[in-house]
């Protein structure tokens, strides 16, 4: 896997772990998301962060788990955040215009939560396999 892609996935894994830790504080969670987006853009411009490289070389097994969590986090952002924003915009717009708005997006998000748990389980299995398997020399 390319170094840049690994850094993006590890950065997503770090965001996944920190967002779980601060999820009870809504304001802090929003600040963390904004910081994540800004640093993600900076990573795309800069192409690598030194602290992520140090983390990869010093803790390779932990890096596997961060890669797995990062993959799940990006899938989660794409398949829940985007539809959630669209649903929220259309729902608020309909409420503003005193109209009713019916959509299947809440049902989709409910089903995707099960897919998300399955992806998380598969990612943890992959990271454990990658961390435990012996390399052939």
């Amino acid at each position: 896997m390319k170094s840049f892609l690994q850094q993006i996935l590890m950065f997503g894994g770090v965001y996944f772990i920190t967002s779980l830790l601060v999820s009870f504080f809504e304001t802090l969670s929003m600040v963390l998301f904004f910081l994540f987006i800004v640093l993600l853009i900076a990573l795309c411009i800069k192409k690598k962060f030194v602290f992520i490289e140090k983390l990869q070389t010093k803790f390779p097994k932990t890096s596997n788990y961060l890669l797995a969590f990062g993959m799940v986090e990006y899938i989660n952002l794409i398949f829940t955040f985007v539809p959630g924003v669209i649903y929220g915009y259309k729902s608020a717009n309909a409420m503003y215009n005193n109209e009713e708005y019916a959509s299947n997006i809440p049902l989709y998000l409910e089903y995707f939560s099960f897919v998300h748990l399955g992806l998380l389980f598969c990612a943890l299995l992959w990271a454990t396999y990658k961390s435990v398997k012996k390399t052939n020399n």
Side-chain angles (χ1 to χ4, degrees):
M1 196 181 306
K2 298 272 186 191
S3 175
F4 177 66
L5 182 59
Q6 283 183 346
Q7 290 220 348
I8 284 181
L9 291 177
M10 283 192 58
F11 191 64
V14 170
Y15 171 71
F16 178 81
I17 299 295
T18 54
S19 69
L20 281 178
L21 295 174
V22 300
S23 63
F24 296 111
F25 306 106
E26 187 175 336
T27 306
L28 189 58
S29 184
M30 289 177 8
V31 168
L32 182 66
F33 181 72
F34 178 73
L35 182 65
F36 169 71
I37 296 297
V38 169
L39 289 175
L40 184 64
I41 292 169
L43 178 61
C44 289
I45 292 170
K46 195 174 178 183
K47 300 293 185 207
K48 66 180 179 177
F49 282 147
V50 176
F51 77 93
I52 293 178
E53 280 185 345
K54 287 181 183 178
L55 184 68
Q56 281 178 309
T57 57
K58 197 169 186 178
F59 305 107
K61 291 182 180 182
T62 305
S63 297
N64 290 332
Y65 287 99
L66 288 176
L67 286 171
F69 287 146
M71 179 69 77
V72 172
E73 183 62 27
Y74 286 119
I75 290 171
N76 187 33
L77 284 174
I78 292 168
F79 291 106
T80 61
F81 182 73
V82 173
V85 168
I86 292 169
Y87 174 74
Y89 172 76
K90 288 184 177 184
S91 177
N93 198 16
M95 189 179 355
Y96 179 74
N97 293 328
N98 289 328
E99 299 172 352
E100 272 193 50
Y101 177 68
S103 175
N104 291 333
I105 292 178
L107 185 61
Y108 160 78
L109 293 175
E110 183 179 336
Y111 289 141
F112 190 80
S113 66
F114 295 116
V115 173
H116 182 260
L117 288 175
L119 286 173
L120 189 59
F121 180 73
C122 290
L124 287 174
L125 283 177
W126 174 83
T128 303
Y129 171 75
K130 195 89 162 131
S131 296
V132 172
K133 82 170 189 169
K134 296 183 192 297
T135 56
N136 296 332
N137 291 329

